[in-house]
């Protein structure tokens, strides 16, 4: 879906979320801890939310939220983000977008 | 059959209309009767309502007392009264029987549970009381088959775990090749991954069961974080056992510990948010009104997210194990698995000791 891809590539760190989703909240907290402010799109508050949901699922996000894009590329959902982080691969990806302390 | 001391008077006689105050005693049933003449159909209706009323309260039985009517109405009334009494007696008897059967059913389930636990305790010898202390025998009255299946699988899992720990001990003391040792380590890792799969399945059946850690010993439950150990805590225990580590390894383990901690914090805060959400949903609207089903149904929907959190927590545990096995040498990984296993055994022994330790009377 054009809108999803456009939003995903618009900014460095993009998170598709739902305002009611507590797991999405956990991912937001994680980014906060890592000094990154992702651009958040709450698809449950978007008029095209349903379509966006379907688009995200087609891209491979079963959940479909949270869905994380870094540098325009899909990283994945909570599982992938956590695995990446524990493997030490998340911070290097985020480095260009981390807030200057 | 007990008769109340006050006798009431609705006359069954056609065409008579009893004073309001007496009919008023029967409350709702007679509100619809505006017509002073009580027809036969109403008599039948009154009979049925009598039957319904007797379910909830002891009701006064109609007894003819109006002298004027007594002669003509006696046999008819007696029959009606007898029938009503019989119906009430039968109803009470059915209710008693139902209550008795329900009691039998729940006792039967308790008995099955007790027998299962006794058998488990016997088989495990030293581990009598592990996970099964009297304190936690909380029967909900219904045995969830998913839970029953998990508990059986877990029993088997523990047996395999103990056997594998023995194998690790032997392998580390013997002069076996790294390749052979690697196999033992891989078996140990797979075994933990198997546990996470089992937990994922039972979480779908009853996520509260996983959250409560019922299948574990009390000391293990003391350390519980979203249905299991905190990965960062286990790392702390492990690392202390693994000297000497190279500088590179120390660096990588430090990073792993930090990432783990951050991930745990994120999940913990997510859990807090979930608690807030469920609480707010449940408390929505006015409390004290009595009707609450919509709030409860909505809260249940929110609670479904708990399964996701439990799965994420187990995923974190699994990833931590994976990463450690990448950072460590085969030999170190073997020592690590053994250390982890023995640490858990100590916790289990602590639980047993605690349960059997004589206490000062309060």
């Amino acid at each position: 879906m054009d809108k999803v891809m456009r939003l995903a590539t618009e900014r460095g760190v993009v998170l598709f979320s739902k305002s009611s989703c507590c797991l999405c909240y956990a991912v937001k907290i994680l980014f906060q801890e890592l000094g990154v402010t992702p651009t958040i799109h709450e698809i449950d508050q978007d008029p095209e939310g349903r379509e966006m949901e379907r688009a995200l699922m087609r891209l491979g996000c079963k959940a479909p939220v949270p869905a994380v894009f870094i540098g325009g590329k899909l990283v994945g959902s909570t599982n992938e983000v956590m695995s990446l982080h524990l493997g030490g691969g998340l911070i290097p990806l985020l480095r260009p977008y981390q807030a200057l302390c | 059959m007990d008769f109340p001391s006050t006798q009431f008077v609705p006359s069954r006689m056609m065409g008579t209309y009893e004073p309001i105050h007496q009919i008023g005693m029967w409350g709702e049933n007679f509100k619809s009767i505006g017509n002073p003449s009580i027809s036969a159909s109403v008599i039948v209706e009154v009979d049925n309502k009598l039957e319904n009323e007797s379910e909830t309260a002891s009701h006064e039985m109609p007894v003819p007392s109006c002298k004027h009517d007594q002669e003509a109405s006696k046999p008819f009334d007696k029959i009606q009264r007898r029938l009503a009494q019989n119906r009430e007696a039968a109803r009470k008897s059915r209710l008693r029987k139902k209550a008795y059967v329900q009691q039998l059913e729940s006792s039967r389930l308790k008995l099955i549970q007790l027998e299962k636990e006794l058998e488990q305790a016997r088989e495990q010898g030293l581990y009598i009381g592990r996970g099964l202390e009297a304190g936690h025998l909380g029967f909900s009255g219904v045995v969830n088959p998913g839970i029953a299946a998990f508990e059986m699988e877990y029993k088997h899992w523990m047996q395999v775990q103990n056997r594998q720990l023995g194998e690790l001990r032997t392998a580390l003391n013997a002069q076996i090749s790294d390749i052979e040792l690697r196999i033992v380590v891989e078996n140990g890792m797979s075994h933990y991954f198997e546990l996470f799969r089992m937990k994922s399945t039972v979480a779908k059946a009853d996520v509260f069961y996983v959250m409560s850690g019922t299948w574990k010993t009390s000391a293990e439950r003391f350390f519980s974080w979203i249905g299991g150990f905190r990965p960062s805590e286990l790392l702390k225990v492990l690392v202390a056992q693994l000297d000497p580590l190279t500088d590179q390894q120390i660096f990588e383990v430090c990073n792993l510990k930090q990432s783990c901690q951050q991930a745990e914090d994120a999940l913990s805060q997510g859990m807090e948010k979930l608690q807030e959400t469920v609480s707010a949903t449940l408390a929505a609207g006015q409390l004290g009104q009595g009707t609450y089903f919509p709030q409860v149904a909505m809260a249940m929907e929110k609670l479904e997210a708990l399964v996701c959190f439990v799965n994420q927590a187990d995923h974190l545990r699994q990833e931590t194990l994976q990463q450690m096995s990448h950072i460590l040498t085969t030999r170190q990984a073997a020592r690590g698995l053994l250390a982890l296993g023995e640490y858990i055994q100590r916790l289990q022994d602590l639980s047993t000791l605690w349960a059997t330790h004589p206490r000062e009377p309060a």
Side-chain angles (χ1 to χ4, degrees):
Chain A
M1 182 200 179
D2 285 340
K3 180 164 180 176
V4 165
M5 287 322 292
R6 179 174 52 83
L7 292 172
T9 48
E10 220 165 41
R11 291 274 194 277
V13 184
V14 179
L15 169 66
F16 290 95
S17 157
K18 280 187 189 167
S19 54
S20 57
C21 171
C22 295
L23 208 53
C24 297
Y25 181 78
V27 172
K28 289 172 195 166
I29 295 288
L30 181 62
F31 279 124
Q32 221 171 66
E33 283 191 38
L34 301 180
V36 170
T37 311
T39 306
I40 300 170
H41 299 290
E42 309 279 6
I43 67 174
D44 59 331
Q45 291 169 350
D46 194 307
E48 296 176 82
R50 280 276 163 78
E51 259 197 78
M52 294 170 80
E53 214 178 289
R54 281 196 290 268
L56 287 168
M57 288 174 80
R58 273 197 298 272
L59 286 169
C61 304
K62 276 177 285 170
V65 291
V68 173
F69 289 78
I70 302 179
K73 289 213 205 80
L74 174 64
V75 168
S77 190
T78 326
N79 261 11
E80 289 75 33
V81 171
M82 295 295 184
S83 299
L84 196 59
H85 189 41
L86 258 63
L90 185 60
I91 293 192
L93 273 185
L94 290 173
R95 199 152 285 137
Y97 314 107
Q98 274 175 320
L100 300 162
C101 308
Chain B
M1 201 59 185
D2 43 343
F3 282 98
S5 48
T6 49
Q7 304 295 318
F8 274 79
V9 190
S11 166
R12 311 307 198 110
M13 213 37 203
M14 292 195 201
T16 55
Y17 174 64
E18 293 301 316
I20 292 258
H21 72 271
Q22 282 164 325
I23 291 186
M25 291 294 205
W26 292 91
E28 306 301 313
N29 292 341
F30 289 78
K31 269 194 185 149
S32 54
I33 302 175
N35 194 330
S37 53
I38 301 173
S39 64
S41 61
V42 173
I43 291 173
V44 172
E45 198 185 352
V46 165
D47 267 334
N48 292 337
K49 289 206 169 120
L50 251 181
E51 197 176 342
N52 293 337
E53 285 291 303
S54 69
E55 264 192 286
T56 48
S58 62
H59 261 262
E60 300 78 7
M61 286 299 112
V63 169
S65 75
C66 180
K67 263 193 194 162
H68 164 74
D69 294 321
Q70 220 161 12
E71 284 304 315
S73 66
K74 213 192 239 168
F76 182 74
D77 258 323
K78 260 201 184 144
I79 293 169
Q80 291 300 310
R81 177 173 54 142
R82 181 68 55 76
L83 287 175
Q85 287 168 5
N86 287 350
R87 274 192 295 274
E88 218 232 348
R91 178 169 295 275
K92 280 193 178 170
S93 168
R94 280 195 296 276
L95 287 174
R96 275 196 301 272
K97 181 178 175 186
K98 190 175 172 192
Y100 179 63
V101 168
Q102 279 177 341
Q103 232 186 354
L104 277 180
E105 281 293 305
S106 78
S107 299
R108 188 177 135 261
L109 290 173
K110 284 183 191 177
L111 191 62
I112 292 172
Q113 177 84 357
L114 277 170
E115 280 176 21
K116 193 159 56 104
E117 287 173 350
L118 205 57
E119 194 211 84
Q120 281 180 327
R122 265 189 233 116
E123 281 196 43
Q124 278 152 4
L126 170 68
Y127 299 117
I128 286 173
R130 182 168 59 90
L132 309 171
E133 298 103 22
H136 105 83
L137 294 179
F139 304 113
S140 63
V142 181
V143 177
N144 186 321
I147 292 176
F150 175 84
E151 296 202 332
M152 272 194 336
E153 282 172 27
Y154 183 72
K155 180 179 108 171
H156 180 251
W157 189 91
M158 256 342 277
Q159 287 167 350
V160 173
Q161 174 75 350
N162 291 333
R163 195 190 70 224
Q164 283 187 345
L165 289 180
E167 280 169 16
L168 274 168
R169 251 178 241 116
T170 311
L172 283 169
N173 291 330
Q175 298 299 328
I176 70 170
S177 68
D178 248 25
I179 297 175
E180 283 171 312
L181 193 56
R182 189 81 227 166
I183 294 174
V184 180
V185 167
E186 288 298 319
N187 285 345
M189 301 277 290
S190 306
H191 197 53
Y192 278 113
F193 301 161
E194 178 59 35
L195 179 61
F196 298 138
R197 266 197 298 279
M198 283 162 52
K199 282 173 73 182
S200 175
T201 306
V202 77
K204 289 194 203 98
D206 184 352
V207 72
F208 284 125
Y209 175 80
V210 177
M211 285 293 292
S212 68
T214 313
W215 71 96
K216 293 191 283 191
T217 63
S218 39
E220 288 173 272
R221 268 178 269 138
F222 174 58
F223 290 96
S224 195
W225 173 79
I226 315 186
F229 287 107
R230 258 182 203 278
S232 57
E233 278 303 314
L234 291 184
L235 274 182
K236 275 192 213 145
V237 169
L238 266 183
V239 169
Q241 303 290 321
L242 293 173
D243 280 332
L245 293 169
T246 66
D247 285 345
Q248 176 65 17
Q249 283 179 324
I250 293 174
F251 175 71
E252 287 176 2
V253 168
C254 252
N255 285 344
L256 180 60
K257 226 193 283 182
Q258 190 178 43
S259 316
C260 213
Q261 194 73 64
Q262 287 163 337
E264 281 172 28
D265 284 347
L267 286 181
S268 292
Q269 292 197 46
M271 281 286 284
E272 274 176 34
K273 187 87 191 331
L274 183 59
Q275 275 189 332
E276 281 170 29
T277 310
V278 171
S279 176
T281 306
L282 212 49
Q286 281 215 1
L287 288 162
Q289 293 295 308
T291 52
Y292 55 84
F293 188 72
Q295 284 91 331
V296 174
M298 268 178 63
M300 223 181 82
E301 258 184 61
K302 308 268 177 199
L303 210 48
E304 300 287 345
L306 194 54
V307 179
C308 297
F309 275 97
V310 168
N311 286 339
Q312 282 306 314
D314 274 347
H315 176 72
L316 212 59
R317 291 173 190 115
Q318 182 156 328
E319 280 299 308
T320 305
L321 278 176
Q322 284 277 33
Q323 289 303 320
M324 277 306 272
S325 82
H326 293 160
I327 296 172
L328 301 175
T329 65
T330 307
R331 192 149 199 96
Q332 286 169 329
R335 273 169 43 211
L337 279 175
L338 185 57
L340 196 55
E342 286 204 3
Y343 175 68
I344 293 171
Q345 275 182 336
R346 286 191 194 182
L347 276 173
Q348 292 169 343
D349 291 343
L350 174 60
S351 305
T352 309
L353 190 62
W354 183 263
T356 54
H357 182 71
R359 297 267 143 64
E360 296 278 317

